[in-house]
Amino acid sequence: MWNLEGQKAVITGGSKGIGRASVLEFLKLGAEVLFTARKAEDIIKFQDELLAKGYKVKGMVADVTKPEDRQKVMEYVENTWGSLNILVNNAGINIRKRAHEYSEEEFRKVLEINLVSPFALSRELHLLLKASGNAKIINVSSAAATQDVGSGTPYAMSKAGLLQQTRSLAVEWAADKIRVNAVSPWYTHTPLTQSVLEQEDRLKSILNMTPLKRVAKAEEMASIIAFLAMDKSSYITGQNIVADGGMSVKAI
Ligand SMILES: NC(=O)c1ccc[n+]([C@@H]2O[C@H](COP(=O)([O-])OP(=O)(O)OC[C@H]3O[C@@H](n4cnc5c(N)ncnc54)[C@H](OP(=O)(O)O)[C@@H]3O)[C@@H](O)[C@H]2O)c1
């Protein structure tokens, strides 16, 4: 059971960073994957690389905030697979500013992508997940959900909300045989964090706060997501696995 053989998975934000590493991890473990993102060029390039390796994969241009795009995801799952085993709500963004400097459009955008869209997609795929008889939702939250790490208030709010979404859905959908868990990464090398990690003083302060003294690799998050998607984690639901190199347990 240390594999995902025969499992059908949707991974949002699968063209870059943690989502991309998860797509690869899932395929290597034997899953069939539908991944989404917004930029067609990145999606086609990654999809073609994977198809050339013989994997069963489909990349789709689908913005998680657009109802018509989520409908395309649902129709693909329904028509191709008939049911769904795994949904990874990974797509996320950040706009870093001081609270009073955001425009309303900016802070609503962060909440829309990071918090509202996972709820919308989980709800819309609920019947297809339930139909599999053994489904898993994995929400990618953040260390910023539980501590102020200078990521900006809307991002922190969105990720904290995603944790409670995880807990509430886990309880509500347990009867439907759907497990719901979250993963909370700390700083991980991806395009999202590149501009922060390039600043020498910021990187120094992050490493000072991190007992393992390094920033994570996207693959280290993908392996946790894969574990939560496997039957090897079959008694875990409503939980949040914090992958932060020890940051949250360090006092001084
Ligand atoms: N990297 C970290 O240090 C870190 C730490 C804590 C939590 N996280 C969380 O981990 C998740 C992945 O982050 P990452 O660092 O891998 O980010 P990333 O490198 O920026 O990749 C984000 C992915 O999501 C896609 N995406 C963004 N907005 C989307 C939308 N509206 N609809 C569909 N796809 C969308 C992007 O592609 P397009 O731009 O083409 O849409 C891309 O494929 C996020 O939820 C993030 O908050 C990351």
Side-chain angles (χ1 to χ4, degrees), residues 155-212:
Y155 183 81
M157 283 162 37
S158 71
K159 295 299 187 178
L162 189 57
L163 287 188
Q164 191 52 36
Q165 188 182 129
T166 301
R167 296 183 195 106
S168 293
L169 287 183
V171 173
E172 196 176 311
W173 289 351
D176 299 329
K177 302 205 167 11
I178 304 171
R179 293 191 290 119
V180 189
N181 289 292
V183 175
S184 284
W186 174 229
Y187 274 99
T188 306
H189 283 291
T190 69
L192 180 75
T193 52
Q194 196 176 344
S195 64
V196 175
L197 297 174
E198 276 169 1
Q199 298 166 40
E200 219 171 290
D201 54 333
R202 286 288 285 143
L203 178 61
K204 203 173 157 198
S205 120
I206 290 161
L207 295 182
N208 271 340
M209 292 165 74
T210 311
L212 287 183

Side-chain angles (χ1 to χ4, degrees), residues 4 6 15 17-18 29 38 59 85 95 121 182 246:
L4 293 171
S15 64
I18 293 169
L29 288 164
R38 293 165 302 180
N85 303 103
I95 300 170
L121 193 58

Side-chain angles (χ1 to χ4, degrees), residues 58-234:
K58 161 95 179 151
M60 183 186 280
V61 178
D63 182 331
V64 289
T65 64
K66 294 190 177 155
E68 65 274 21
D69 286 9
R70 295 196 306 269
Q71 177 72 23
K72 276 196 317 183
V73 172
M74 202 177 84
E75 281 168 9
Y76 179 90
V77 172
E78 197 163 22
N79 298 334
T80 317
W81 296 328
S83 67
L84 181 67
N85 303 103
I86 305 159
L87 168 63
V88 182
N89 284 311
N90 163 75
I93 61 151
N94 195 11
I95 300 170
R96 293 181 187 86
K97 288 188 174 183
R98 301 190 68 205
H100 55 280
E101 288 167 353
Y102 287 88
S103 67
E104 181 160 340
E105 195 191 337
E106 284 172 333
F107 78 69
R108 285 191 184 278
K109 186 176 175 185
V110 174
L111 288 161
E112 193 65 40
I113 297 182
N114 295 0
L115 176 64
V116 177
S117 300
F119 185 57
L121 193 58
S122 299
R123 274 161 41 91
E124 287 155 6
L125 291 172
H126 170 254
L127 279 181
L128 290 162
L129 287 159
K130 186 178 168 183
S132 76
N134 175 16
K136 288 77 60 163
I137 296 174
I138 297 103
N139 292 321
V140 182
S141 181
S142 169
T146 48
Q147 283 166 282
D148 183 80
V149 293
S151 60
T153 300
Y155 183 81
M157 283 162 37
S158 71
K159 295 299 187 178
L162 189 57
L163 287 188
Q164 191 52 36
Q165 188 182 129
T166 301
R167 296 183 195 106
S168 293
L169 287 183
V171 173
E172 196 176 311
W173 289 351
D176 299 329
K177 302 205 167 11
I178 304 171
R179 293 191 290 119
V180 189
N181 289 292
V183 175
S184 284
W186 174 229
Y187 274 99
T188 306
H189 283 291
T190 69
L192 180 75
T193 52
Q194 196 176 344
S195 64
V196 175
L197 297 174
E198 276 169 1
Q199 298 166 40
E200 219 171 290
D201 54 333
R202 286 288 285 143
L203 178 61
K204 203 173 157 198
S205 120
I206 290 161
L207 295 182
N208 271 340
M209 292 165 74
T210 311
L212 287 183
K213 294 289 174 228
R214 64 179 179 84
V215 167
K217 293 185 213 133
E219 291 74 17
E220 292 176 288
M221 301 305 146
S223 55
I224 302 168
I225 295 168
F227 169 67
L228 291 171
M230 282 179 201
D231 289 339
K232 280 287 176 189
S233 59
S234 52

